[in-house]
Amino acid sequence: MAAIDTVLAKIDANLDSALGRLFDFVKIPSISTDPAYAEDCARAAQWLAAELQGLGFEASVRETTGRPMVVAQGKGPRPDVPHVLFYGHYDVQPPDPLDLWETPPFEPRVADASTGKQIVGRGTADDKGQLMTFVEACRAFKETGGLPCNVTFFIEGEEETGSPSLPGFLAANKAELEADMALVCDTGMWDRSTPAITTMLRGLVLEEVVIHGADRDLHSGMFGGPAINPIHVLARIIADLHDENGAIALPGFYDGVAELPEAVAEQWQGLRAHEAEFLKGVGLSVPAGEKDRGVLEMIWSRPTCDVNGIIGGYTGKGSKTVLPAQASAKFSFRLVGQQDPVKVAESFRAFVQKRLPADCRAEFISHGASAALQLPFSSEALTRASRALQAEWGKEPVLAGCGGSIPVIGSFKHDLGMDSLMIGFGLDDDRMHSPNEKYDLASFHKGARSWARVLNALAL
Amino acid sequence: MAAIDTVLAKIDANLDSALGRLFDFVKIPSISTDPAYAEDCARAAQWLAAELQGLGFEASVRETTGRPMVVAQGKGPRPDVPHVLFYGHYDVQPPDPLDLWETPPFEPRVADASTGKQIVGRGTADDKGQLMTFVEACRAFKETGGLPCNVTFFIEGEEETGSPSLPGFLAANKAELEADMALVCDTGMWDRSTPAITTMLRGLVLEEVVIHGADRDLHSGMFGGPAINPIHVLARIIADLHDENGAIALPGFYDGVAELPEAVAEQWQGLRAHEAEFLKGVGLSVPAGEKDRGVLEMIWSRPTCDVNGIIGGYTGKGSKTVLPAQASAKFSFRLVGQQDPVKVAESFRAFVQKRLPADCRAEFISHGASAALQLPFSSEALTRASRALQAEWGKEPVLAGCGGSIPVIGSFKHDLGMDSLMIGFGLDDDRMHSPNEKYDLASFHKGARSWARVLNALAL
């Protein structure tokens, strides 16, 4: 096994070719939520498996009823070295609205910004760029004497759609996927110069509702008034979901939501200067949401409810005096602590049913549900990883929460009895899920170097 | 001038060829609200002008900044006979949702129904079929000795979009368009066997609102909570527009709304048996809208507010955890009595502004505004027309209100000092503005016969 400096030097030397590999990966429009891109998801899985085979991993693409998984095994110097399972996802969010992209979402490029070079394209940050930092770290080890740990890759293609196939796949392939711990690269830094290890993850409940009224679209002049308008009914439901203090009005919604440990609350208080910048970065200035809660608190440790999409009636140019037969909306609930995803979904559906006037009918579609997860604030692996990150960045990492949801972390804990070490190099201004998504070149380069140091530290 | 029976016989003999002419007219997709169909609107105007020229009218297509008008002049037997101005519109509503049409909307056909033969296609009822009943009546007179009155045709192509060019055109062509009275065929019968003359028309205010929040779409996990969600803001505004009694909550909205004259209220009470059927016909059973108001009253003599369309965020298949940068909705207000369209629009915009939280901005787009109109409940022309309709249908016509809005009636009254006689042959089940719009063959045939009788009666 080579000294860590040799491995880091190799990562530096590989940077240009590593960028070319990431570009090839990003060019595949592996959008998991839209069936029209199922074939592209399969291509992305095959591309990744081939990459790992090229590095000497035993890699294979594994079919599911949804998008395929990629599993790969790589051996360390001895059987008794730690065994890590690396998780990431090759699927990406839809790029729309397309007209807001400065260049096509699946034609990656490197752009110069005041903060340094950026890799622009859908998936560069979430999660292809992050995933490739670990692949490139492994490559550097392979090219300088071999992996310091036993490494299993487990890459899915349904993360953006609630990972429907994942629990079943874990159950069916337990022996193959079990390891000492999971390493996950799908989270962010605290800021450009401060790394972070994420220890809290919010859960997610995705519900779609279609409100049906009359059996056809009607002329709003001939029927408006006496005929129920499903858009009005849906709007009332959405309005009722939050009270005047920004709290969510679903009965029992806050069951299982605890206040923060004081130590953590204090650390986050110290970070509040960041809050104004955080909103300013997206053209906002005043925190919305729950009154008397900090921005970080709301994103990291409080549950939320958002309507992610709504449509009904005539939405073309000009006007049409139609009274629509139906209206629909997509809802997402972010969960924390011990909130039960099943109970939240049930409470939501009852909440909607209770508000349906005569002649209206609600149709429900679930797009997935996962519980929140709290990882230990201290462990041997966490301590070693912290030191490794401090060596690379010169700063102690923040123990952060994460607003987004990574369902697999819960499955690793509950189904494989494995804790996860969540280390990622994304930044708040990466525009994940938005037009012109980017990943800093520094995140990509120092991310790979960070993983090399972490793998090395875990093996010692 | 021939005896009326000769004219009626000619209409009967012409029915098949008349149907062919209506088909040619319906085949032109003259959708006025969508600029993509501007050329088709022009074609429809040219087609109609050519038809009228063929009947010996002095007809011309007249350009506007929007869709063109058609004006045509036809002489009666003597200068001193009554001069009528006939108004109709060649523009139609968009056909969407297309997938709900049993046959293509612009490929008209005659279908058999339990209630008799129906002409199916977009615009067959609103307003191409109705308009052609008057054209065919004029044809029969021309082919049997000539028109009994001086007849001016005035056909527009912007009725479905609030007639933006119409006031200016009337002002610029006053001398050419002035007449003793206007005849309008854009309303309905009371039922299949009972004709109606419409004396009340609701006004219309069309407003579109776009709520802007953050400067880009955001990840609802990374920003949900502290970042404002424009869909929530829009939903709250829509919910606030109606109170718990179904009344509209805009300050001053009901200024100028009077209760019905007792005689009329009593006549309508006598028609309430109809209300259940009216809702049942579209799959509904319980009247929505203002508490303690009858269905006919709500449609004919009460103002309403409906959201005709709403869109925001991700509306494709599956889910996307996006927090959208904007959300928009199209609103229509139906006005009655002396309600001021300008004040209603102003009150609405203030209502929206008042509900905008920090960091939100509202963009307003007006799609037109017109006041309601109350015509005299009795006049010489009304009496003659009633007798003529009774002769054709064997029943006295109902003096009805109309839920829809025909802006030009107000302009005729205010700009040309002319009352209008609104006689139409549409039925509640015509599916105007909806998929599978139809016009009963009986409406088309007996409608033409009715106009022949009315023209004859006015001339005596």
Side-chain angles (χ1 to χ4, degrees), chain A residues 33-35 93-97 100 122 126 160-162 186 202 204 206 208 213-229 231-232 234-236 238-240 242 278-290 295 298-299 304-324 327 330 332 334 358-360 367 402-405 428-429 431-435, chain B residues 33-35 93-97 100 122 126 160-162 186 202 204 206 208 213-229 231-232 234-236 238-240 242 278-290 295 298-299 304-324 327 330 332 334 358-360 367 402-405 428-429 431-435:
Chain A
T33 196
D34 186 342
Q93 283 276 320
D96 51 285
L100 296 187
R122 169 59 85 229
D126 182 17
E160 302 294 0
T161 58
D186 198 15
R202 292 200 294 189
L204 182 60
L206 296 166
E208 182 168 353
D215 62 13
R216 74 198 66 159
D217 284 356
L218 304 171
H219 184 306
S220 70
M222 299 304 168
F223 290 88
I228 191 77
N229 185 328
I231 295 176
H232 298 185
L234 185 57
R236 159 61 56 199
I238 294 169
D240 286 353
H242 290 84
F278 177 77
L279 286 176
K280 206 171 136 209
V282 295
L284 300 173
S285 60
V286 182
E290 290 182 281
V295 167
M298 282 194 271
I299 292 171
T304 61
C305 162
D306 269 297
V307 179
N308 304 116
I310 186 167
I311 187 166
Y314 181 69
T315 58
K317 279 191 186 143
S319 63
K320 181 180 179 186
T321 53
V322 65
L323 200 160
K330 298 175 193 279
S332 64
R334 300 284 170 176
D359 291 332
C360 274
H367 292 301
C402 175
S405 123
D428 288 342
D429 65 3
R431 294 185 292 269
M432 280 168 53
H433 293 205
S434 300
Chain B
T33 197
D34 186 342
Q93 283 276 320
D96 51 284
L100 295 186
R122 169 60 83 228
D126 182 15
E160 302 293 0
T161 58
D186 198 16
R202 292 201 293 189
L204 182 60
L206 295 166
E208 182 168 353
D215 62 14
R216 73 196 68 158
D217 284 356
L218 303 173
H219 185 306
S220 69
M222 299 304 167
F223 290 88
I228 190 78
N229 184 328
I231 296 176
H232 298 184
L234 185 57
R236 159 62 53 199
I238 294 169
D240 286 353
H242 291 84
F278 177 76
L279 286 177
K280 208 172 134 205
V282 295
L284 299 174
S285 61
V286 182
E290 290 182 283
V295 168
M298 281 193 271
I299 292 172
T304 62
C305 162
D306 269 298
V307 179
N308 304 116
I310 187 167
I311 187 167
Y314 181 69
T315 57
K317 280 190 185 143
S319 63
K320 182 180 179 187
T321 54
V322 64
L323 201 161
K330 298 174 194 278
S332 63
R334 299 283 170 178
D359 292 331
C360 274
H367 293 300
C402 174
S405 118
D428 289 342
D429 64 3
R431 295 185 290 270
M432 280 168 55
H433 293 207
S434 299

Side-chain angles (χ1 to χ4, degrees), chain A residues 422-443:
Chain A
M422 285 177 278
I423 300 171
F425 309 97
L427 296 169
D428 288 342
D429 65 3
D430 280 347
R431 294 185 292 269
M432 280 168 53
H433 293 205
S434 300
N436 307 305
E437 176 179 354
K438 64 85 180 168
Y439 195 47
D440 279 18
L441 184 59
S443 295

